[in-house]
Amino acid sequence: MHGEFLIPIVMFAGGFAMVFGIVYLKTRQNLAMIEKGMNPHQRTKRSTPTYLKWGMLLIGAGLGLLSAFLLDTLLIPREIEPVALYFSLIAIGGGIGLVASYRMDKKELLNGNND
């Protein structure tokens, strides 16, 4: 109850520090690109499409949530709260989805270079 007035101050200071840090690091990145003779406004094309990565992440998280629900309803007794089961299987499913996205992108990149 004594430090309630510190919350807004810390929030604004943290937000300012975050914005300042992002701008500072972006400027440093642009200067490093200029030193190497690159144009900072001409970015390289990312190899992995963003929609593929997000799609695989959400599919994996959904499958993790479904498997956690099935394990919760079928195997776990009602006295135990399965919160950790839900969070862990969502994270595991999302990670599997990202790994699958990486493998698909790597396979496509290797096939594109061989042509």
Side-chain angles (χ1 to χ4, degrees), residues 3-4 9 13 38 41 48 72 79 86 100-101 108 111 114:
E4 291 176 352
I9 295 171
M38 300 169 66
H41 298 293
T48 304
D72 179 29
E79 296 85 34
Y86 279 92
S101 168
E108 183 178 311
N111 288 342
N114 289 340

Side-chain angles (χ1 to χ4, degrees), residues 10-94:
V10 170
M11 272 183 34
F12 286 119
F16 176 77
M18 181 181 67
V19 170
F20 179 77
I22 289 172
V23 170
Y24 176 74
L25 290 176
K26 188 73 162 170
T27 305
R28 296 260 327 227
Q29 180 184 16
N30 287 342
L31 289 174
M33 288 178 76
I34 290 171
E35 285 180 1
K36 292 183 180 182
M38 300 169 66
N39 185 1
H41 298 293
Q42 181 183 6
R43 301 283 182 197
T44 58
K45 184 179 175 184
R46 286 193 278 181
S47 60
T48 304
T50 306
Y51 58 86
L52 173 68
K53 193 177 289 186
W54 275 102
M56 296 296 285
L57 173 68
L58 292 175
I59 288 172
L63 289 175
L65 185 63
L66 177 67
S67 62
F69 174 74
L70 291 175
L71 284 173
D72 179 29
T73 57
L74 298 176
L75 297 178
I76 297 178
R78 288 287 124 199
E79 296 85 34
I80 301 172
E81 288 293 324
V83 175
L85 176 71
Y86 279 92
F87 281 114
S88 63
L89 284 178
I90 289 172
I92 289 170

Side-chain angles (χ1 to χ4, degrees), residues 1-7:
M1 292 292 210
H2 299 308
E4 291 176 352
F5 65 93
L6 288 177
I7 293 173

